[in-house]
């Protein structure tokens, strides 16, 4: 699932282009339609093909271009995979073009396409070439310098198909969304629907939510439950990382939430009012950044007034990078690696942006403390818990000692990082003797989902069998975790954990759903009754296997079912007895031995009036 965000100067045709591409009008407010200008975030979607020709729904977030509404723009552009930078061919690069591009660069949006709109208004090819050169020059100082430029017209539809193909190619080359199985959704819209209640929307940054799941809304610390989920107006049972998601929540009212709150799985994240960051002041900033300067922080979908404490320097000159500790006016939710923007409150303008290093610093740092500055330099390479989690995601399943060794953290930092990941419920730890087995949440869910799906399919295919053979279950889990050696002991440990968590049951032979019970059809039960009647008529000389199969209509699975359930007992390849008759024979022979000390084969034959074959 991918999300594209528009960007560009006001009246350069962003919403018109989105409407031409998708057939959906992203302007939803009456004021927007009256003024012909996007004020708040709009949303649409389009189907684009992948390299194999399979179409996928791609979400589009349409943002306002007017300077008065750039804060709304920042609420929508943070979670996008790619940008659609819209520049009108008749006007070229304008002030908000530059500011929006600077924001895309600061947020490290992975890729972009430039749509050169309104080409139907240009009669002079040389003018169009000059505009393209100007745009290429503007991009050259950013990480989006390779962005393709596609001339289009939303009026005549010229270039629209080329733009779609360009976007499809761009998205196909992007790496998959990070999935650490810790879902969080910054809320960018809140509303109520009659009969449904509270609905929130946003871009899912990690993990997956499912219908019926309990959630927490931070920093409001409200608890709720997911009543339903929608992606692009289609109901879904669970979500994918990177998807545009509408969540119908029960247990919380719209007046209890605000834009920028974050929906999370309970006890996985915490809010903060202090955060350590690395920061780059834009080269065209009007003045240096000073210590304790008031700023507005934009992270996720939140806008929060803050004070920027400058660490390690008296001031930060335009174009320079440095360390900041931001003191927020109210709690926010973020994780290490999140990108953010700082703006000057008045007059409103973008100052710069950077990366969250530590969302939960222990305290306010002394500004020029060498240890604190060294810590920040280390964190720029990743927090210990993030490093440990990245290592676990790479290894997927490993012993604790091997995980700590592979992460190359010192013992104290490694132990602290592991404790933090336990607190965040960011991994799965399975007791296995002296050394626990560690799994990333993503690997664990793949194991559970993969095996549950296979066992469910097995039950449908073989409704009379107890479950999937253990050997087949082990082979399946091995394919889910390629590169991991799944020993018998480790496989048994995983099955024990599945059982402990009431996910799947198992016995010596098979793995099964806990609520599954083999049950014959009415026709099969009729055949069973006929067979058991034949066994009851001659309990100690019943039909041999060949005859039993004939009575069962040749249904070998039905015979296996009777053996597995203990209704029948196999004495040899072709000799079968009812379980109750076999138990009676054992009891009588044991009683005979109590009285006579020994028994011969002939005596057993005579005792039950059977043949030598059955007696033996």
């Amino acid at each position: 699932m991918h999300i594209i965000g528009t960007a560009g100067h006001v009246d350069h045709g962003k919403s018109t282009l989105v409407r031409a591409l998708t057939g959906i009008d992203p302007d939803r407010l009456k004021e927007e339609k009256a003024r012909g200008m996007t004020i708040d975030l709009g949303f649409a979607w389009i189907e684009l093909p992948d390299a194999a020709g399979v179409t996928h729904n791609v979400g589009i977030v349409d943002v306002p271009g007017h300077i008065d509404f750039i804060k709304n723009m920042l609420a929508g552009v943070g979670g996008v995979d790619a940008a659609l930078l819209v520049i009108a061919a008749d006007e070229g690069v304008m002030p908000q073009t530059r500011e929006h591009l600077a924001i895309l660069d600061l947020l490290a949006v992975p890729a972009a396409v430039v749509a050169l709109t309104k080409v139907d208004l240009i009669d002079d090819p040389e003018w169009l070439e000059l505009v393209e050169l100007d745009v290429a020059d503007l991009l050259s100082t950013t990480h989006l310098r390779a962005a393709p430029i596609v001339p289009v017209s939303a009026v005549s539809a010229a270039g629209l198909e080329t733009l779609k193909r360009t976007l499809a190619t761009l998205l196909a080359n992007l790496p998959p969304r990070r999935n650490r199985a810790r879902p969080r959704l910054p809320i960018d819209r809140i509303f109520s629907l009659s009969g449904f209640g509270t609905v929130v929307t946003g871009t899912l940054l990690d993990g997956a939510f499912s219908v019926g799941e309990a959630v927490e809304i931070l920093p409001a610390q409200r608890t709720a439950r997911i009543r339903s989920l929608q992606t692009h107006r289609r109901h879904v049972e669970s979500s994918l990382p990177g998807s545009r998601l509408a969540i119908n929540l029960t247990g919380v009212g719209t007046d209890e939430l605000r834009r920028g709150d974050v929906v999370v799985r309970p006890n996985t994240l915490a809010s903060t009012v202090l955060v350590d960051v690395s920061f780059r002041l834009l080269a065209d900033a009007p003045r240096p950044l000073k210590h304790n300067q008031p700023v507005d922080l934009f992270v996720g979908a939140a806008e929060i007034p803050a004070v920027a404490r400058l660490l390690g320097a008296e001031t930060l000159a335009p174009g320079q990078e440095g360390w900041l500790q931001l003191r927020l006016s109210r709690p926010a939710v973020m994780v290490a690696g999140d990108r953010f923007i700082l703006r000057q409150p008045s007059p409103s303008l973008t100052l710069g942006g950077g990366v969250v290093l530590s969302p939960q610093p222990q305290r306010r740092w002394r500004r020029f403390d060498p240890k604190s500055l060294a810590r920040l330099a280390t964190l720029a390479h990743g927090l210990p818990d993030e490093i440990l989690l990245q290592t676990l995601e790479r290894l997927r399943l490993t012993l604790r000692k091997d995980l700590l060794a592979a992460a190359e953290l010192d013992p104290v930092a490694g132990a602290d990082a592991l404790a933090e990941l336990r607190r965040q419920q960011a991994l799965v730890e399975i007791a296995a003797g002296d050394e626990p087995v560690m799994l990333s949440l993503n690997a664990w869910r793949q194991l559970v989902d993969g095996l549950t799906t296979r066992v469910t399919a097995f039950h449908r295919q073989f409704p009379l069998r107890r479950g999937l053979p253990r050997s087949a279950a082990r082979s399946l889990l091995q394919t889910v975790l390629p590169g991991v050696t799944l020993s018998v002991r480790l496989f048994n440990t995983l099955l024990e954990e599945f059982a402990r968590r009431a996910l799947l049951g198992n016995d010596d032979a098979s793995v099964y759903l806990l609520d599954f019970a083999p049950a014959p059809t009415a026709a099969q039960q009729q055949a069973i009754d006929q067979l058991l009647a034949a066994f009851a008529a001659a309990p100690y000389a019943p039909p041999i296997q060949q005859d039993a199969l004939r009575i069962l209509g040749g249904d070998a699975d039905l015979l296996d079912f009777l053996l597995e359930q203990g209704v029948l007992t196999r004495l040899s390849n072709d000799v079968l007895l009812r379980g109750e008759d076999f138990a009676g024979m054992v009891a009588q022979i044991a009683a005979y031995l109590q009285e006579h000390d020994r028994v011969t084969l002939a005596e057993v034959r005579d005792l039950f009036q059977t043949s030598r074959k059955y007696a033996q």
Side-chain angles (χ1 to χ4, degrees):
M1 183 68 69
H2 289 110
I3 304 292
I4 296 170
T6 65
H9 194 76
V10 65
D11 201 31
H12 274 206
K14 294 185 295 297
S15 299
T16 304
L17 179 61
V18 170
R19 196 158 46 245
L21 285 170
T22 67
I24 299 169
D25 186 356
D27 288 340
R28 55 190 172 82
L29 304 178
K30 290 182 179 179
E31 187 180 354
E32 290 178 320
K33 298 185 184 300
R35 296 172 63 176
M37 178 176 66
T38 301
I39 295 172
D40 205 347
L41 302 176
F43 306 97
W45 56 92
I46 185 174
E47 287 192 343
L48 293 176
D50 60 17
V54 179
T55 57
H56 300 274
N57 274 332
V58 175
I60 297 179
V61 180
D62 186 36
V63 305
H66 196 282
I67 188 172
D68 292 344
F69 306 112
I70 199 162
K71 292 181 179 181
N72 290 340
M73 176 266 189
L74 284 165
V77 77
V80 303
D81 299 289
L84 181 59
L85 181 60
V86 178
I87 301 174
D90 60 335
E91 291 189 344
V93 174
M94 297 293 282
Q96 255 49 66
T97 309
R98 297 181 183 276
E99 186 165 15
H100 281 206
L101 179 59
I103 289 168
L104 297 177
D105 193 38
L106 291 167
L107 293 176
V109 173
V113 174
V114 178
L116 208 56
T117 57
K118 304 186 182 183
V119 295
D120 54 293
L121 302 179
I122 305 301
D123 296 325
D124 185 357
E126 291 186 1
W127 171 261
L128 194 59
E129 185 179 349
L130 286 173
V131 173
E132 289 191 33
L133 289 173
D134 192 25
V135 172
D137 183 60
L138 178 67
L139 295 172
S140 65
T141 58
T142 73
H143 79 286
L144 298 173
R145 61 183 64 87
I149 302 172
V150 182
V152 296
S153 169
V155 175
S156 69
L160 289 183
E161 291 303 316
T162 301
L163 179 58
K164 289 179 183 179
R165 289 194 298 270
T166 304
L167 288 170
T169 300
L170 190 78
L171 296 176
N173 291 327
L174 291 178
R177 278 271 186 167
R178 184 176 75 173
N179 184 0
R180 291 183 176 170
R182 288 187 292 174
R184 59 184 177 116
L185 180 136
I187 298 172
D188 53 36
R189 284 183 66 203
I190 305 163
F191 54 94
S192 180
L193 287 177
S194 177
F196 292 90
T198 301
V199 178
V200 300
T201 70
T203 299
L204 187 61
L205 299 184
D206 187 5
F209 284 126
S210 300
V211 172
E213 185 175 358
V215 295
E216 184 178 18
I217 297 95
L218 298 175
Q221 293 186 313
R222 307 290 185 188
T223 57
R225 190 167 295 277
I226 297 177
R227 181 178 182 179
S228 64
L229 295 170
Q230 277 194 20
T231 294
H232 304 156
R233 295 184 184 171
R234 293 186 301 191
H235 286 281
V236 294
E237 289 300 312
S238 62
S239 54
L240 294 172
S243 58
R244 282 295 306 175
L245 201 60
I247 308 179
N248 182 197
L249 296 172
T250 61
V252 64
T254 56
D255 58 340
E256 299 175 90
L257 307 175
R258 67 191 301 171
R259 174 181 278 184
D261 285 351
V262 182
V263 184
V264 302
R265 186 167 287 142
N267 304 315
T268 57
L269 291 174
S271 55
T272 183
V273 292
L274 206 61
V275 57
D276 294 340
V277 303
S278 65
F279 175 75
R280 171 164 62 93
L281 186 63
L282 288 175
D284 59 358
R287 60 186 64 86
L289 184 75
K290 296 181 180 179
H291 177 62
N292 279 342
Q293 181 172 327
V295 294
D296 286 335
L297 166 70
F298 293 84
V299 62
E303 172 193 350
I304 302 171
V307 172
R309 301 187 64 245
L310 192 55
L311 304 179
E314 293 293 345
T315 61
L316 200 65
Q320 284 189 327
E321 297 184 21
W323 316 118
L324 302 180
Q325 188 172 64
L326 300 175
R327 189 172 70 249
L328 313 184
S329 63
R330 66 173 187 272
V333 179
M334 56 192 95
V335 302
D338 280 356
R339 292 272 173 173
F340 68 91
I341 297 292
L342 293 185
R343 283 176 60 81
Q344 179 177 287
S346 181
S348 182
L349 59 87
T350 300
L351 296 173
V355 182
V356 173
L357 299 180
S358 175
Q360 301 281 343
Q362 300 170 4
R363 54 186 169 84
R364 290 178 62 185
W365 308 115
R366 296 199 308 271
R367 292 184 60 205
F368 295 94
D369 177 31
K371 290 184 179 179
S372 299
L373 297 176
R375 173 182 175 274
L376 291 171
T378 300
L379 292 180
H381 299 288
L383 283 170
D385 59 300
E386 290 291 324
I387 292 173
L388 196 63
L389 191 56
Q390 288 173 11
T391 305
L392 183 56
E393 287 179 335
R394 174 170 54 83
L395 298 176
R396 310 193 75 189
L397 182 150
T398 186
L399 297 177
R400 180 177 59 188
K401 62 179 179 64
D402 296 334
L403 171 63
L404 294 174
E408 298 181 355
L409 297 171
D410 67 73
V412 174
D416 290 345
L418 187 56
E420 176 61 19
L421 292 180
R422 287 179 180 135
R423 187 193 67 77
Q424 297 174 9
Q425 300 182 32
L427 48 72
V428 173
E429 192 170 9
I430 302 174
D434 296 334
E435 194 62 40
V437 175
M438 319 293 290
L439 295 91
S440 70
L441 276 180
N442 198 30
W444 170 254
R445 292 186 185 280
Q446 285 181 313
L447 286 174
V448 173
D449 293 346
L451 188 54
T452 301
T453 299
R454 181 68 184 90
V455 170
T456 302
F458 187 88
H459 285 328
R460 283 198 299 266
Q461 185 178 1
F462 304 105
L464 293 177
R465 298 188 189 179
R466 183 68 185 104
L468 181 71
R470 289 177 73 101
S471 58
R474 183 183 172 199
S475 297
L476 175 73
L477 294 186
Q478 184 66 76
T479 63
V480 173
L481 295 179
V484 175
T485 301
L486 196 62
S487 65
V488 173
R489 179 183 177 186
L490 184 52
F491 168 68
N492 291 337
T493 298
L494 289 173
L495 289 190
E496 290 169 8
E497 187 67 12
F498 292 161
R500 189 185 72 80
R501 297 184 181 223
L503 298 171
L504 290 168
N506 70 89
D507 54 29
D508 291 342
S510 58
V511 182
Y512 48 84
L513 298 179
L514 293 174
D515 59 353
F516 174 77
T521 65
Q524 288 173 326
Q525 187 60 52
Q526 187 175 1
I528 290 173
D529 293 342
Q530 185 179 352
L531 177 66
L532 294 182
F535 271 70
Y540 307 123
I544 61 174
Q545 176 170 301
Q546 182 179 351
D547 294 332
L549 275 172
R550 179 180 51 78
I551 296 172
L552 292 176
D555 192 339
D557 281 347
L558 195 52
L559 180 60
D560 288 341
F561 165 74
L562 294 174
L563 290 166
E564 192 175 69
Q565 296 294 309
V567 177
L568 298 180
T569 297
R570 183 185 297 280
L571 301 189
S572 68
N573 286 339
D574 62 344
V575 175
L576 307 172
L577 289 178
R578 286 190 307 175
E580 58 193 274
D581 296 332
F582 176 69
M585 292 180 78
V586 169
Q588 288 191 54
I589 293 171
Y592 188 93
L593 288 170
Q594 287 287 336
E595 185 175 350
H596 301 93
D597 294 332
R598 61 193 298 274
V599 64
T600 66
L601 186 60
E603 289 170 333
V604 171
R605 179 197 61 198
D606 296 340
L607 185 63
F608 296 103
Q609 295 299 297
T610 186
S611 67
R612 178 182 177 86
K613 174 181 179 179
Y614 281 96
Q616 186 169 352

